[in-house]
Amino acid sequence: MVNKKCIIRLLRYKNALHRLNSLGFVKVFSDNLADAVGVTASQVRKDFSLFGICGNKRGGYQIEALLGKLNHILGKNEQQKVVIVGGGNIGAALMKYKGFEKEGVKIAACFDIDPAKYNHKEGDIPVLPLEQLRDFVRQNHIKIGVIAVPDIAAQQVLDLMLAAGIKGVLNFAPIRLRAASDCVINNVNLVLELETVIYFIINGLEKSIAEIHEEQKS
Amino acid sequence: MVNKKCIIRLLRYKNALHRLNSLGFVKVFSDNLADAVGVTASQVRKDFSLFGICGNKRGGYQIEALLGKLNHILGKNEQQKVVIVGGGNIGAALMKYKGFEKEGVKIAACFDIDPAKYNHKEGDIPVLPLEQLRDFVRQNHIKIGVIAVPDIAAQQVLDLMLAAGIKGVLNFAPIRLRAASDCVINNVNLVLELETVIYFIINGLEKSIAEIHEEQKS
């Protein structure tokens, strides 16, 4: 029963393990990972056992071996190429973001209706006219796209991406895009995330904080 | 039983209603809102009835009246001031983002260890040295902060914010910050969101798509 929340936990374990590894640690216990990710230790063991990963009760898990297994499960041993449509604020922030490379994600190109604004390049990433999206995606066998355009353009960009062969979309436009039958869409709305925090502050914390924690743990 | 997911749905209804309103619509049915937000119509009615909002069975809901009630519930009739710490890629994208103002969110200032990089201003928003955070937050009675610094600096920034009186934090640093007893933290990790999409693509869609949809609807 692998659902989205389980995958997100696995990705979080992996990120925590990377951090521990780079600090020189060799072993980790389910309690350490539980603390780092904000779940219970039994949840950690349950998630791992779902994928056949067993720890040694006294010695915990070997970090390197555990990372290898998680990377295998998460398919992170090969680099994933991604295209962005929209070179505005969020698109530019993603292009400059250093964190993708070490997670095996490569931003292959950005597409914009006005690539000249970016001098046709942002850092090492080419910024190309939107008309070239289809050919580029097909030639490079790209399956993942990021939508970072205003809400009114988002549906049209999604249609272009699907026609080009994109199968998974991370959407930052503040509108909920619906998936076609063979496509996964992950909608992230930054204003909504901020509004959620504001709501809990305005309406008094005491009542809500247990619930928001409960949510985070589930 | 108002939990985070319910609040997020209310915020989504509100955003959809704004869009319908600006297109000239006067009435809306629970089915319309269900489609726009990706839930069932009975979920929409359940959410509204939780807050004492009843529609007319034949005529649906009046959009303006409904917006007024949602804004009252969500406390959106007064403007909320927010500070950002970290003027890098994500911080700058947030400062330039036009969508906050119309949702009643005002970014009052940004704080950075090197404000000179930004000429001490980004658009209309002052970029101030981090040492001034405490006094600024106290003098302006600000309760909400956004963390947009690298992971190694995030915990220190959180401590500064809490000491200054911040009660709600939206954290973009790719590390899970834990809330103190009287503070709400919403962790948003952009790399994780992209990795989640990638995972589902790599591992074959057919099995997962029903589950990711189930997740989105819950």
Side-chain angles (χ1 to χ4, degrees):
Chain A
M1 215 186 49
V2 182
N3 63 22
K4 190 184 167 194
K5 280 184 183 168
C6 174
I7 296 310
I8 290 176
R9 285 196 301 273
L10 292 185
L11 292 164
R12 287 195 170 126
Y13 300 144
K14 180 180 62 65
N15 290 348
L17 288 167
H18 269 301
R19 230 170 259 130
L20 289 169
N21 199 28
S22 65
L23 290 170
F25 287 95
V26 174
K27 285 178 182 174
V28 69
F29 292 88
S30 51
D31 292 277
N32 306 131
L33 285 173
D35 285 347
V37 170
V39 297
T40 62
S42 74
Q43 178 74 68
V44 175
R45 290 189 296 265
K46 203 172 130 198
D47 287 337
F48 286 170
S49 72
L50 205 60
F51 292 97
I53 301 175
C54 298
N56 172 328
K57 270 213 175 108
R58 288 170 59 202
Y61 304 87
Q62 297 285 331
I63 290 178
E64 288 215 359
L66 190 50
L67 266 176
K69 284 175 185 168
L70 286 178
N71 281 334
H72 181 73
I73 292 164
L74 295 166
K76 295 299 293 298
N77 288 321
E78 47 183 316
Q79 199 182 49
Q80 288 302 317
K81 279 187 272 186
V82 171
V83 291
I84 298 175
V85 174
N89 303 325
I90 290 176
L94 294 174
M95 282 190 270
K96 287 176 193 153
Y97 187 68
K98 302 274 184 289
F100 287 120
E101 205 92 350
K102 71 169 184 220
E103 302 299 339
V105 176
K106 181 177 170 54
I107 296 173
C110 176
F111 295 85
D112 197 276
I113 47 170
D114 188 8
K117 263 195 300 191
Y118 310 91
N119 247 328
H120 304 279
K121 234 178 157 179
E122 172 75 56
D124 293 332
I125 299 167
V127 180
L128 306 171
L130 191 54
E131 305 89 75
Q132 294 180 18
L133 176 72
R134 187 185 171 118
D135 288 346
F136 187 94
V137 165
R138 290 191 174 182
Q139 280 158 20
N140 293 279
H141 308 289
I142 290 171
K143 297 281 170 251
I144 321 276
V146 176
I147 297 181
V149 298
D151 53 357
I152 49 161
Q155 184 64 51
Q156 204 184 342
V157 168
L158 177 64
D159 294 342
L160 284 175
M161 283 184 168
L162 296 181
I166 294 278
K167 296 292 182 198
V169 171
L170 179 58
N171 171 42
F172 287 104
I175 184 168
R176 193 172 185 80
L177 295 175
R178 250 129 339 136
S181 60
D182 62 343
C183 167
V184 170
I185 298 185
N186 190 5
N187 292 289
V188 175
N189 184 328
L190 300 184
V191 178
L192 269 188
E193 296 294 346
L194 187 54
E195 287 185 307
T196 307
V197 174
I198 291 173
Y199 172 83
F200 278 99
I201 299 308
I202 292 174
N203 292 279
L205 293 168
E206 300 73 15
K207 203 172 43 183
S208 344
I209 211 160
E211 290 157 340
I212 208 172
H213 281 184
E214 211 43 58
E215 281 300 312
Q216 287 178 346
K217 289 204 175 191
S218 69
Chain B
M1 217 183 46
V2 183
N3 63 21
K4 191 184 167 194
K5 281 185 182 166
C6 175
I7 296 312
I8 289 176
R9 284 196 301 272
L10 291 184
L11 291 165
R12 287 195 170 126
Y13 299 145
K14 179 181 63 63
N15 291 350
L17 287 167
H18 270 301
R19 231 171 260 129
L20 289 169
N21 198 28
S22 66
L23 289 170
F25 287 95
V26 175
K27 285 176 180 175
V28 69
F29 292 88
S30 52
D31 291 277
N32 306 130
L33 285 173
D35 286 346
V37 172
V39 297
T40 63
S42 74
Q43 178 74 67
V44 174
R45 290 189 295 267
K46 204 171 129 196
D47 287 337
F48 286 170
S49 72
L50 206 60
F51 293 96
I53 300 174
C54 297
N56 173 328
K57 270 208 177 111
R58 287 171 60 203
Y61 303 87
Q62 297 286 329
I63 290 177
E64 288 216 357
L66 190 50
L67 266 176
K69 284 175 185 167
L70 286 178
N71 281 334
H72 181 72
I73 291 165
L74 295 166
K76 296 299 293 300
N77 288 321
E78 47 183 315
Q79 198 182 49
Q80 289 301 319
K81 280 186 273 187
V82 170
V83 291
I84 297 174
V85 174
N89 303 325
I90 291 176
L94 295 174
M95 282 190 270
K96 287 176 194 154
Y97 188 69
K98 302 273 184 290
F100 288 121
E101 205 92 348
K102 73 171 182 215
E103 300 300 338
V105 175
K106 182 178 170 53
I107 296 172
C110 176
F111 296 85
D112 197 276
I113 47 171
D114 187 7
K117 265 195 298 191
Y118 310 90
N119 246 329
H120 305 279
K121 235 178 158 179
E122 172 75 57
D124 292 334
I125 299 167
V127 180
L128 306 171
L130 191 52
E131 305 89 74
Q132 293 179 20
L133 176 72
R134 187 185 170 118
D135 287 347
F136 187 94
V137 165
R138 290 190 173 181
Q139 279 158 21
N140 293 280
H141 308 289
I142 290 170
K143 296 281 169 250
I144 320 276
V146 176
I147 296 181
V149 299
D151 53 359
I152 48 162
Q155 184 64 52
Q156 203 184 343
V157 168
L158 177 63
D159 294 342
L160 284 174
M161 283 185 168
L162 297 181
I166 294 280
K167 297 291 181 198
V169 171
L170 179 59
N171 172 42
F172 286 104
I175 183 168
R176 195 172 184 82
L177 295 175
R178 249 122 350 128
S181 60
D182 62 343
C183 169
V184 170
I185 298 185
N186 190 5
N187 292 289
V188 176
N189 184 330
L190 300 184
V191 178
L192 269 188
E193 297 294 345
L194 187 53
E195 287 185 308
T196 307
V197 174
I198 291 172
Y199 173 83
F200 278 99
I201 299 308
I202 292 174
N203 291 279
L205 292 167
E206 301 72 15
K207 204 173 47 188
S208 345
I209 213 161
E211 290 158 343
I212 209 172
H213 280 182
E214 212 41 59
E215 281 299 312
Q216 287 178 348
K217 288 202 176 192
S218 68

